[in-house]
Amino acid sequence: MGLKEFLNKIAGRKERLSHSECLQMLNMVIDEEMDESEEFKSHLNVCMPCYEKYKLDKALKAMLKAKCCRAEVPDGLVEDIKSKISGNIIS
Amino acid sequence: MAKNSYTEKEKQQVFNQEFMPHVNSMYNFAHRLTFDEDDAKDLVQDTFMKAFRFIESFEKGTNAKAWLFRILKNSFINDFRKKSKAPSKVDYQEVETYYNSDEVNTPITTDLRAETVHDLIGDEISNALNSLDVDFRTVIILCDLEGFKYDEMAKILDIPIGTVRSRLHRARILLKEKLSEYAKQMGYLR
């Protein structure tokens, strides 16, 4: 019995997500464009490369959000915009 | 697009309540596009002026942030990118065929791991993002920094959702390659 068959057997599922299907779904799951289906989760449980990619992409997304700190809005920008708009209304 | 009729007072209200709260995100986006404080300021001001001029095309209570980002992106392409000495180009055909190629099935394109990403400091991630070509940089900013959904990104960028997905996929691969280089330079990776 091959490893894949063995893993399928112990996971008790016949219908499984293929490796490439899982990779196609990864971005969409990470971006919350689709829910993590049971098939997706069970593929991750048995597929180390997909699991590593999932962990990495998720970590990267979180780090981007946390570490790409926002540039400070320069002083006076908000006031400039507001005064130009008020000028527009008056004129 | 359907026109909405607003009184001057309503225009001011919509502008202050629905547009101005996004000024930080807009400035951040503009700064990551232009890499220059003055250009970013001009771009944001210009975007808000246009938003005010065309305020009747905006329906109160709808997605102001996406609407504003779309104006900003168009202003950048039309007014700022033209000034750039070497406008960057993405080989779209390559991007389109990429997603359908076997490369998508390659699970890990770099030896970068989640644990290594945690060791990187903000500057490296920020620099890696900034090093990407503007079209790839933009999808990462919109998706990962600003939290736009694919359908919103498609509208902001005037591209089909399939292209959003493929461009994002490619952008993440390039970002990881860049981070992998940094990690190697710093000895996190061999």
Side-chain angles (χ1 to χ4, degrees):
Chain A
M1 185 186 292
L3 180 63
K4 194 177 171 189
E5 286 164 87
F6 172 72
L7 291 171
N8 280 347
K9 197 177 172 191
I10 55 169
R13 298 182 68 94
K14 283 181 185 164
E15 291 288 322
R16 303 192 63 82
L17 207 60
S18 76
H19 190 66
S20 64
E21 282 170 334
C22 182
L23 286 170
Q24 299 270 5
M25 279 184 187
L26 262 173
N27 275 330
M28 295 189 65
V29 169
I30 284 163
D31 295 330
E32 295 177 2
E33 293 283 332
M34 66 186 289
D35 293 332
E36 280 184 40
S37 63
E38 286 307 314
E39 288 80 5
F40 179 82
K41 283 186 214 163
S42 54
H43 181 84
L44 285 197
N45 282 339
V46 294
C47 179
M48 204 56 185
C50 280
Y51 177 66
E52 288 289 345
K53 186 173 192 301
Y54 174 76
K55 267 204 332 184
L56 172 61
D57 285 4
K58 217 173 165 169
L60 189 56
K61 189 177 174 87
M63 286 292 275
L64 276 163
K65 189 151 177 77
K67 299 283 178 108
C68 284
C69 42
R70 300 189 162 273
E72 287 280 317
V73 175
D75 288 341
L77 177 61
V78 171
E79 289 71 22
D80 282 354
I81 292 167
K82 284 188 172 170
S83 76
K84 283 192 177 170
I85 295 305
S86 310
N88 259 339
I89 288 172
I90 294 159
S91 57
Chain B
M1 193 183 282
K3 289 259 177 186
N4 299 282
S5 183
Y6 297 124
T7 63
E8 290 306 319
K9 196 180 166 194
E10 280 172 331
K11 280 186 189 176
Q12 193 84 339
Q13 249 177 6
V14 169
F15 193 87
N16 287 328
Q17 290 171 8
E18 301 202 40
F19 297 174
M20 286 311 281
H22 302 295
V23 68
N24 288 5
S25 296
M26 307 266 294
Y27 181 76
N28 199 47
F29 184 35
H31 198 267
R32 289 216 178 261
L33 290 176
T34 61
F35 302 127
D36 181 271
E37 192 176 305
D38 289 331
D39 283 347
K41 260 167 81 174
D42 288 348
L43 190 51
V44 171
Q45 276 200 5
D46 188 46
T47 303
F48 276 106
M49 293 305 112
K50 282 182 186 154
F52 190 75
R53 207 179 315 142
F54 297 109
I55 201 163
E56 289 181 340
S57 309
F58 174 77
E59 189 158 344
K60 246 198 287 191
T62 58
N63 194 339
K65 188 177 173 185
W67 193 69
L68 292 167
F69 267 67
R70 187 168 186 275
I71 299 175
L72 194 149
K73 183 269 309 179
N74 286 336
S75 298
F76 173 69
I77 290 172
N78 297 329
D79 307 333
F80 282 79
R81 224 163 152 181
K82 276 183 197 158
K83 288 189 214 161
S84 158
K85 284 173 207 147
S88 47
K89 276 188 186 149
V90 173
D91 182 344
Y92 289 108
Q93 186 131 33
E94 185 225 345
V95 175
E96 289 312 307
T97 51
Y98 188 87
Y99 201 66
N100 298 320
S101 74
D102 286 341
E103 285 181 80
V104 74
N105 293 333
T106 311
I108 297 176
T109 50
T110 69
D111 38 12
L112 196 65
R113 297 169 70 89
E115 295 76 10
T116 318
V117 168
H118 287 299
D119 288 336
L120 294 165
I121 54 169
D123 281 357
E124 290 133 12
I125 295 202
S126 189
N127 291 342
L129 175 62
N130 289 349
S131 77
L132 298 186
D133 189 277
V134 68
D135 291 294
F136 293 129
R137 192 162 76 237
T138 300
V139 286
I140 300 259
I141 297 168
L142 295 180
C143 184
D144 295 337
L145 272 57
E146 297 300 337
F148 283 111
K149 306 305 288 179
Y150 292 176
D151 61 336
E152 293 172 326
M153 290 165 68
K155 284 181 194 152
I156 293 169
L157 302 172
D158 290 311
I159 54 176
I161 288 193
T163 311
V164 170
R165 287 176 59 191
S166 57
R167 208 177 284 180
L168 198 52
H169 178 77
R170 182 87 177 113
R172 285 178 173 153
I173 289 173
L174 293 168
L175 187 67
K176 282 182 273 189
E177 282 172 2
K178 199 78 201 169
L179 286 173
S180 185
E181 273 173 40
Y182 289 151
K184 277 183 190 135
Q185 282 166 16
M186 287 178 298
Y188 295 140
L189 280 176
R190 272 178 288 167

